[in-house]
Amino acid sequence: MGYRPALALLEILRGEGVDRVFGNPGTTELPFLAALSEAADAPEYVPGVHEGAVVSMADGYARGTGRPAFVSLHIAAGLANGLLGLLNARRSRTPLVVTAGQQDRRHLQQDPMLSGDLVGLARPAVKAAYDIQHAHDLPLALRRAFALAVRPPAGPVFLSVPMDLMAEETEVEVPPRTTVPRLGPATGLDRAAELLAAADRPAIVAGDGVGREPALAELILVAEACGAPVHHQPMADFLNFPATHPLYAGMLPPRHDVIRETLARYDTVLIAGAHAFTPHHYSPGPALPPGLTVVQLDSDPDEIGRNFPADAGLVGALAPSLHRLAGLLRDRVPGAAARTKEAGDRHTAERADAEAAARAAYSPAPLAPWAAAHAVAAGLPPDAVVVEEAITVGLLLRRLARLDRPGSYTHAVGGGLGWGIGAAVGRALAEPGRPVVAVLGDGCALFGLQGLWSAARESVPVLFVVMGNGAYRTLQDTYASMGGKGTCPGTELGRLDFTTAAEFFGVAAVRAESADQLRELVAGAGELRAPLLVDVPLRS
């Protein structure tokens, strides 16, 4: 059966399970928009007033649904606005299929308004970029894009589609969808089990692949089978191990020298689904201490031995691989229970100290950062999703939040500010029965404020918590650590009234007057029926 190009696109979206299109409309997308409006069973169009928010919404939606999200951007300028979100998605390995309408080919050589090198713009931020020049190539390229977006390492794929091509009356064939077999368990697990069972001081680094695939339950079995403390990878984007578990040892910091010092207390480490160690600040030397035995497991073969040598490098799907590894380790480590108890006692004491320090900082506003982070952590409903883009307060929140449900924590390691508001909207659309609490720094929120328009339009019950310290605090702290004198130029934002900003976009807002009030507001996130923004003044 033949389809006109725009209808062929819709047919492929249906087959790929796409039920929403995230976009900002423009002239070059009009043929596609017309097809959306005319088809009775077309995906819902979810608009944004800035492409940064559009791509971030798609990112949050893809993470919540576990399947690729579809994005429609407008020509060169719209793609440029969306690049920040694409860079974040590529870093976080979020599967997206992104199209942008190119100018009409019949006058493209005349450099018409809005035209540009779309593929050249997109290529550094995506896994692959396709320039579609023939209608019959569009269906095949789309099928390829959806398959490539989810293939390890997952990420965004881009297609440039000329306006006149999409409007052609030519009929094209839609190739059937091919079901790709799932990756199975890794080979070499016997060797990995031998190394872990022989270890006197084993540890695990839980990478974001564990949360993405997901393989949380299977990693718990492995950790308990050998009594290994588990560290989150630096600046983890997912919950990769429950923070309530006795073996949870916290997140590794994004510096090689501190990672090396932390891992030096162990003799063997299992690194599961971690993209290198994603350092932020440079420090000399490798991330791993000398003499450490390394077992590395990943679904992406390019990760094995990429940044450090592995004594056993395993390629396979994480969940079945870890499940089999746990079976191979069962009853081979007699001291596992004792190790687990010892680690649990140590970690419980460390968490109690952090809790006590945070509670001691409670006060009326402006709040101490520790108190604000604790109030959020203490108030979270049991099934809440935390979307965190708070930088400095986010580091404190990671230490205090007792999250244990898969998918309950979302972050963007890409570093492109402004992701959090849109991502929270997309996550709420993906899981409508689950409370979503977005914890945002004031600097981050400024970059993504337009996402509040979509939050109001879609009436998503998201609690936006904006931590206002009036500065790019992480930059100031780094500047001071490097010996900088005075205040780093350009880092003072001043006190900002986010209640006014929220109300402009049609979002109700309130200012937190105390840590106790903030905790109560967070606890009520599950009762929301529309978005609410909480402005939290912090001490400078």
Side-chain angles (χ1 to χ4, degrees):
M1 178 180 177
Y3 298 86
R4 288 187 289 112
L7 296 179
L9 194 159
L10 288 184
E11 181 65 17
I12 289 174
L13 295 188
R14 293 186 194 98
E16 296 290 346
V18 172
D19 56 2
R20 284 184 167 93
V21 172
F22 296 89
N24 179 263
T27 51
T28 53
E29 292 73 48
L30 286 176
F32 174 54
L33 296 173
L36 280 176
S37 68
E38 294 166 9
D41 56 349
E44 176 188 351
Y45 189 83
V46 181
V49 290
H50 188 276
E51 291 85 355
V54 166
V55 179
S56 296
M57 285 193 292
D59 185 312
Y61 193 73
R63 296 197 201 200
T65 61
R67 61 180 187 268
F70 186 78
V71 182
S72 173
L73 301 179
H74 176 48
I75 216 158
L79 172 58
N81 282 340
L83 283 178
L84 179 145
L86 295 180
L87 289 167
N88 282 336
R90 185 165 191 185
R91 271 285 186 171
S92 295
R93 302 190 172 186
T94 304
L96 304 176
V97 174
V98 183
T99 63
Q102 178 58 287
Q103 259 284 11
D104 192 309
R105 291 169 297 178
R106 292 169 293 188
H107 68 168
L108 195 55
Q109 289 301 317
Q110 302 170 44
D111 193 23
M113 186 183 297
L114 305 176
S115 64
D117 182 2
L118 303 190
V119 169
L121 271 174
R123 187 173 283 121
V126 298
K127 286 185 67 177
Y130 300 105
D131 186 9
I132 309 303
Q133 288 298 311
H134 304 284
H136 60 259
D137 289 335
L138 179 61
L140 182 61
L142 275 168
R143 286 288 192 217
R144 189 179 298 168
F146 275 98
L148 184 58
V150 298
R151 187 179 305 148
V157 178
F158 174 77
L159 299 93
S160 168
V161 185
M163 177 181 184
D164 61 305
L165 183 154
M166 195 68 103
E168 285 183 12
E169 293 297 325
T170 307
E171 289 195 348
V172 297
E173 296 297 321
V174 172
R177 186 177 187 273
T178 301
T179 301
V180 179
R182 291 180 178 273
L183 191 63
T187 58
L189 289 166
D190 289 335
R191 170 67 173 154
E194 290 173 5
L195 293 174
L196 290 167
D200 292 320
R201 301 181 310 280
I204 295 173
V205 176
D208 283 331
V210 175
R212 253 194 326 264
E213 293 204 14
L216 194 69
E218 292 79 5
L219 186 64
I220 294 171
L221 294 176
V222 173
E224 292 175 346
C226 52
V230 181
H231 294 271
H232 263 119
Q233 74 167 62
M235 304 311 297
D237 276 356
F238 294 83
L239 183 80
N240 304 317
F241 197 78
T244 54
H245 197 283
L247 288 169
Y248 180 60
M251 184 188 77
L252 292 171
R255 287 179 58 101
H256 278 178
D257 53 353
V258 188
I259 295 171
R260 188 169 61 246
E261 179 184 352
T262 302
L263 296 183
R265 69 186 70 153
Y266 308 113
D267 62 0
T268 303
V269 63
L270 166 63
I271 301 172
H275 173 55
F277 277 121
T278 318
H280 182 33
H281 300 295
Y282 171 77
S283 59
L288 303 185
L292 183 68
T293 298
V294 176
V295 177
Q296 187 180 9
L297 169 65
D298 209 287
S299 55
D300 178 7
D302 287 343
E303 286 298 331
I304 304 303
R306 184 174 185 269
N307 279 9
F308 44 78
D311 297 272
L314 314 175
V315 178
L318 296 188
S321 298
L322 290 169
H323 188 270
R324 185 169 295 181
L325 181 59
L328 292 170
L329 286 166
R330 191 173 296 117
D331 301 327
R332 292 180 62 177
V333 187
R339 290 175 185 170
T340 300
K341 183 180 185 309
E342 179 185 352
D345 291 343
R346 181 172 64 253
H347 298 154
T348 297
E350 291 170 355
R351 292 166 192 166
D353 289 344
E355 288 266 351
R359 287 188 177 279
Y362 268 44
S363 72
L367 306 183
W370 265 110
H374 184 275
V376 171
L380 287 172
D383 58 342
V385 175
V386 175
V387 176
E388 182 263 302
E389 194 188 20
I391 316 297
T392 50
V393 175
L395 292 174
L396 305 178
L397 182 62
R398 288 173 186 262
R399 293 183 61 184
L400 294 166
R402 300 293 173 252
L403 300 171
D404 56 10
R405 181 174 169 179
S408 59
Y409 182 85
T410 306
H411 176 258
V413 76
L417 301 186
W419 164 88
I421 293 177
V425 174
R427 192 61 190 268
L429 291 172
E431 297 184 271
R434 208 168 165 187
V436 176
V437 178
V439 184
L440 314 162
D442 49 3
C444 298
L446 284 175
F447 274 76
L449 271 179
Q450 296 95 333
L452 292 177
W453 180 88
S454 297
R457 184 184 185 280
E458 301 297 325
S459 195
V460 289
V462 175
L463 184 71
F464 298 99
V465 181
V466 181
M467 301 291 184
N469 56 27
Y472 292 126
R473 182 55 48 81
T474 187
L475 186 55
Q476 292 181 345
D477 292 346
T478 304
Y479 179 76
S481 71
M482 295 171 62
K485 304 299 182 184
T487 300
C488 182
T491 59
E492 290 289 342
L493 300 175
R495 289 295 178 186
L496 302 166
D497 184 356
F498 281 91
T499 62
T500 300
E503 288 163 1
F504 170 78
F505 286 107
V507 173
V510 63
R511 180 170 289 107
E513 302 295 342
S514 68
D516 287 319
Q517 184 194 12
L518 175 58
R519 185 182 64 239
E520 291 169 5
L521 287 166
V522 173
E527 305 302 317
L528 293 177
R529 295 295 175 265
L532 174 66
L533 184 142
V534 182
D535 191 345
V536 184
L538 298 183
R539 297 176 193 168
S540 56

